[in-house]
Amino acid sequence: MKPQLKRITAVLPVETIEPCLPFWEAVGMVRTVEVPHGDRLGFVILAGHGLEVMLQTYDSIADDVPAQAEEARAARAYLFVEVADINAIERALAGFTVLLPRRTTFYGATEVGYREPGGHAVTFAQFGGGDPDPA
């Protein structure tokens, strides 16, 4: 019998969680779990729209799994998130660093990419339907 995958959730290693929260909350994610580490957050789960992302600080990772501490600091994620309304994403994330200016791809997506405050790249894509032109 082959393994059955039930869900994949990105765990993004970051220096500090607090500066990352406005980015994720702007696109409708809410904190469902917060775990302190010293005098700040060490781990958080954000959920919304049936999706989930986790943020964990480098220090928290080092204390939890020391063998992965160095690798966590070097890791950078590239997330691809399908959305219903690319215009809403651009309005919500105005002021955040754009990595990939809005474009239409050969595979029919309108995309825009950002550097979230933890250093990871997040591309949002709208496929078909709706108005892909800037509002």
Side-chain angles (χ1 to χ4, degrees), residues 42-82:
F43 177 82
V44 66
I45 298 174
L46 297 139
H49 316 287
L51 307 172
E52 186 175 75
V53 65
M54 300 176 187
L55 305 175
Q56 187 170 8
T57 64
Y58 301 134
D59 290 343
S60 172
I61 293 168
D63 287 349
D64 186 34
V65 187
Q68 292 182 4
E70 186 176 328
E71 184 176 337
R73 284 193 178 275
R76 286 290 175 256
Y78 293 85
L79 303 179
F80 184 87
V81 183
E82 186 174 343

Side-chain angles (χ1 to χ4, degrees), residues 18 22 24 43 62 70 75 79 84-85 96-98 101 112-113 126 130:
E18 290 79 0
W24 293 104
F43 177 82
E70 186 176 328
L79 303 179
D85 184 352
F96 286 96
T97 303
V98 175
V112 63
Q126 177 181 339

Side-chain angles (χ1 to χ4, degrees), residues 4 8 15 17 31 42 46-47 59-60 65 100 104:
Q4 181 181 359
I8 293 176
E15 184 68 41
I17 290 173
R31 292 177 247 181
L46 297 139
D59 290 343
S60 172
V65 187
L100 174 66
T104 300

Side-chain angles (χ1 to χ4, degrees), residues 8 12 14 20-21 33 35-36 39 47 51 54 59 80 94 125-126 130:
I8 293 176
L12 304 178
V14 297
C20 301
L21 295 174
V33 174
V35 178
D39 61 352
L51 307 172
M54 300 176 187
D59 290 343
F80 184 87
Q126 177 181 339

Side-chain angles (χ1 to χ4, degrees), residues 107-121:
Y107 47 87
T110 301
E111 299 178 341
V112 63
Y114 295 87
R115 169 89 56 212
E116 63 88 36
H120 304 282

